[in-house]
Amino acid sequence: MSKKNLLFSLVLMLFITHINAQSNNKKLFYVDSYLTTSNENNFEYIKEIEDYDSKKNEYKVKIYYKSGQIYLIGTTTDKDRVKFEGKCLYYFENGKKRRVANYVEDRPFGKQFYYHENGVFKAETEVVLSKDKKNATTKIINYYDENNVQKVINGEGEYLEDDYRNKATSKGMVREALKEGLWHGEMKAQKATFTEQYSKGKLVEGVSIDSLSNKFIYTEIEERAHPRKGFNSFYNYLKNNSLVPKTIEGEIQGQIILNLYISDTGKITKVATYNEDKLGITANAIQLISQYENWIPGKHRGITVKTHFTLPITFK
């Protein structure tokens, strides 16, 4: 066993000992970068749910780095899926606070506060939802650099945006708390640079250029992976191929929840679930979906990327 694996095994043993010493009603899960349940061979964090065996509207959740350091502390409305509600605290692995977030129905909403890794306060933003709650606008109110020099004052100035999940940074001007004019950025994971034109916080057009000088024009930052013939055709495929095993008599009610992982070529690389049902419906769904190959990959700033999304299937 390598030193790295031995260290992790010791950390995990300490986790389990800690949980058992405090309460038998806490449960640990391996989770991936999307906070989706994973396994010991393919995970990024460890999730702890308090009062897991109880039926509640909300559960306290803690997520840990592999090192054992706390990554986040918050509240979830689902004990198997992480669906944030209310205040959530994020931390750097050095123990410093990274972010104070506020959520409504698993979406950022209201005031958000950010910190640099050296502990200096970074930014105050506010997420505002449209009336139909389908679109969100982020207002940039105040921003300080790592040396505590204020660059954005009451919604006016120059802002450096750090998207740590997608390993991207961008810089541009803020007017009346919204992105304005030409922004420049870099995506390390895709080895690409990009420029984006904004008007009153709305993306007008963006252009990404990868390491081979290929150019990608886009009008949306994120484009979700989707079936080539549309979701209606996809659902008809599941329906026509007997999603519910024929051996089950009577009507089935309820919901199964699946996680789909799609490569940058549109191939389904993995279909997973939070819970297996005893009727075989989930296993059947995983097999059918895994065989469905007609997907258009997701895109980030015009460049095809690996994507993940949660797919609920409801039976009425």
Side-chain angles (χ1 to χ4, degrees), residues 164-313:
Y164 70 91
R165 177 177 289 278
N166 292 301
K167 297 181 180 179
T169 57
S170 59
K171 180 186 288 187
M173 299 305 296
V174 175
R175 295 286 180 263
E176 296 182 358
L178 298 173
K179 291 182 177 181
E180 189 65 39
L182 191 63
W183 281 55
H184 298 269
E186 177 185 11
M187 295 182 288
K188 293 182 179 179
Q190 286 78 34
K191 297 180 181 179
T193 60
F194 61 89
T195 56
E196 294 173 346
Q197 185 70 38
Y198 285 90
S199 177
K200 296 181 179 180
K202 303 294 183 181
L203 175 64
V204 178
E205 184 178 88
V207 179
S208 294
I209 301 176
D210 66 14
S211 59
L212 299 176
S213 298
N214 295 311
K215 183 181 292 186
F216 306 87
I217 299 174
Y218 55 94
T219 56
E220 295 182 34
I221 302 294
E222 301 284 353
E223 293 183 48
R224 182 186 184 191
H226 57 278
R228 192 171 296 277
K229 294 182 180 180
F231 274 99
N232 286 337
S233 176
F234 173 65
Y235 283 120
N236 285 333
Y237 161 80
L238 296 179
K239 182 179 179 180
N240 295 335
N241 283 277
S242 301
L243 184 61
V244 178
K246 294 180 180 179
T247 55
I248 300 175
E249 297 181 356
E251 295 183 357
I252 299 296
Q253 293 185 342
Q255 184 182 73
I256 61 174
I257 299 173
L258 304 174
N259 296 300
L260 276 65
Y261 297 79
I262 301 173
S263 73
D264 55 3
T265 63
K267 180 180 176 59
I268 295 179
T269 58
K270 179 182 176 182
V271 182
T273 182
Y274 294 97
N275 291 307
E276 292 282 352
D277 67 272
K278 296 180 180 179
L279 301 176
I281 297 175
T282 302
N284 197 35
I286 290 175
Q287 182 178 6
L288 287 173
I289 293 173
S290 297
Q291 296 170 351
Y292 192 88
E293 299 180 347
N294 298 313
W295 287 81
I296 294 177
K299 294 181 180 180
H300 181 71
R301 290 190 160 98
I303 300 176
T304 55
V305 294
K306 298 177 182 179
T307 56
H308 156 277
F309 67 89
T310 300
L311 178 69
I313 300 177

